Amino acid sequence: MNQRDNNNRPLDVQKTEDAAHTIFEIYSRTDYSTCVEVFLEFISAFGIKNFTILETDLGCRQRDVMLAHSWDDRWRSFCLQSRHLHHDPLLAMIERDHGAFTLSERMDAPRVCADTTQILQRFSAFGWKDALCVPIHRGGLRYGVASLISARRISAEDKAQLTAAAFAFHQRLRCLAPKEGFRTPPAGLGADEIDCLRLLATGLSDVKAGEMLGLGGGAVHAHIESAKQKLAAQNRAELVSLAHSLAIIA
């Protein structure tokens, strides 16, 4: 018999309505903090409080851009012990399947990969039962990624609602983070480097960009060269392309 809520509606119907409402609220928010609050409130109903939202290039992980994260002490401790503080352990599994997946789904597959078993063993030691990874393919090896860590197994119904909300949350943060500023330096870039990148993207020369920023042309050039190194860009055109793709600049 299907479980029902206090209004005698099937719980899966309630969750679908809650997810639709959450998505509406996410897209309605015009600032970063309240957008995060809406998402956290939604996922907490599923027993989830640890998440990571980022842009990544699986072929060059130094380009990782953290858009948002919520980590409790247990998850932070797990990441430190597993050497995954800045590298989500779920990312290694994305290339095999571009769609959203849970660890429990991978464990139920006919052939279980060694890395899946290893991650679940580590998770279990810290009290977690499952995880959801929502990859958003940008082209090549570049992805937007939302990963959520759960204290209980994620059902197919819950996966559908969480995936929809996580996708909306990720897309909204891509718009808000570049405008409001990043809580974690994207790919290690400093504020001056990002400011110079934004002006470079508009076609300004180093001298003109420097005039707008109160810097000399040489200083702007140095910031651009530093940004090229951090993003492993071969030239300025690739640098700007990467900055847009990774949501460093809008």
Side-chain angles (χ1 to χ4, degrees), residues 93 113 119 169 173:
M93 306 168 70
C113 298
I119 290 172
F169 183 52
L173 289 185

Side-chain angles (χ1 to χ4, degrees), residues 194-250:
I194 295 174
D195 287 341
C196 291
L197 257 176
R198 288 197 183 100
L199 295 179
L200 173 66
T202 67
L204 291 182
S205 67
D206 291 352
V207 173
K208 290 294 184 182
E211 290 175 357
M212 295 188 67
L213 296 172
L215 301 172
V220 172
H221 179 81
H223 286 314
I224 295 298
E225 289 302 307
S226 176
K228 282 170 58 180
Q229 288 187 341
K230 291 178 180 179
L231 290 176
Q234 298 298 313
N235 51 56
R236 292 189 172 205
E238 184 183 19
L239 176 64
V240 171
S241 177
L242 285 169
H244 279 299
S245 175
L246 296 168
I248 296 172
I249 58 178

Side-chain angles (χ1 to χ4, degrees), residues 24-250:
F24 173 79
E25 289 296 318
I26 285 172
Y27 281 118
S28 297
R29 293 297 186 264
T30 58
D31 66 281
Y32 179 100
S33 296
T34 59
C35 187
V36 171
E37 289 173 4
V38 168
F39 185 67
L40 271 173
E41 181 178 359
F42 175 72
I43 63 175
S44 65
F46 297 82
I48 298 172
K49 57 183 178 181
N50 290 291
F51 71 81
T52 303
I53 306 293
L54 77 157
E55 292 286 338
T56 188
D57 185 330
L58 297 179
C60 184
R61 294 299 309 282
Q62 73 185 67
R63 294 171 178 163
D64 281 7
V65 174
M66 187 82 72
L67 296 176
H69 69 274
S70 177
W71 298 339
D72 63 14
D73 290 339
R74 281 196 305 155
W75 178 242
R76 195 178 301 275
S77 177
F78 168 81
C79 289
L80 284 169
Q81 290 186 28
S82 303
R83 297 182 180 180
H84 288 309
L85 185 58
H86 298 294
H87 299 291
D88 194 312
L90 296 174
L91 297 184
M93 306 168 70
I94 288 177
E95 290 180 85
R96 302 190 191 100
D97 185 354
H98 291 334
F101 62 87
T102 64
L103 281 180
S104 56
E105 287 175 335
R106 291 297 176 86
M107 286 299 294
D108 292 340
R111 295 182 179 180
V112 180
C113 298
D115 51 3
T116 303
T117 303
Q118 187 180 44
I119 290 172
L120 270 178
Q121 288 174 342
R122 291 175 179 173
F123 275 22
S124 297
F126 281 79
W128 295 297
K129 303 299 182 184
D130 211 345
L132 170 66
C133 183
V134 183
I136 306 166
H137 196 206
R138 307 290 187 205
L141 292 175
R142 293 184 206 161
Y143 291 85
V145 179
S147 62
L148 295 82
I149 312 303
S150 177
R152 62 186 187 225
R153 187 181 175 98
I154 299 173
S155 68
E157 295 78 12
D158 288 353
K159 174 190 171 186
Q161 314 311 323
L162 289 165
T163 297
F167 178 87
F169 183 52
H170 194 297
Q171 296 302 92
R172 188 62 181 142
L173 289 185
R174 273 183 64 92
C175 297
L176 295 176
K179 296 177 182 177
E180 290 195 25
F182 294 87
R183 273 51 177 181
T184 302
L189 294 172
D192 287 340
E193 290 166 332
I194 295 174
D195 287 341
C196 291
L197 257 176
R198 288 197 183 100
L199 295 179
L200 173 66
T202 67
L204 291 182
S205 67
D206 291 352
V207 173
K208 290 294 184 182
E211 290 175 357
M212 295 188 67
L213 296 172
L215 301 172
V220 172
H221 179 81
H223 286 314
I224 295 298
E225 289 302 307
S226 176
K228 282 170 58 180
Q229 288 187 341
K230 291 178 180 179
L231 290 176
Q234 298 298 313
N235 51 56
R236 292 189 172 205
E238 184 183 19
L239 176 64
V240 171
S241 177
L242 285 169
H244 279 299
S245 175
L246 296 168
I248 296 172
I249 58 178

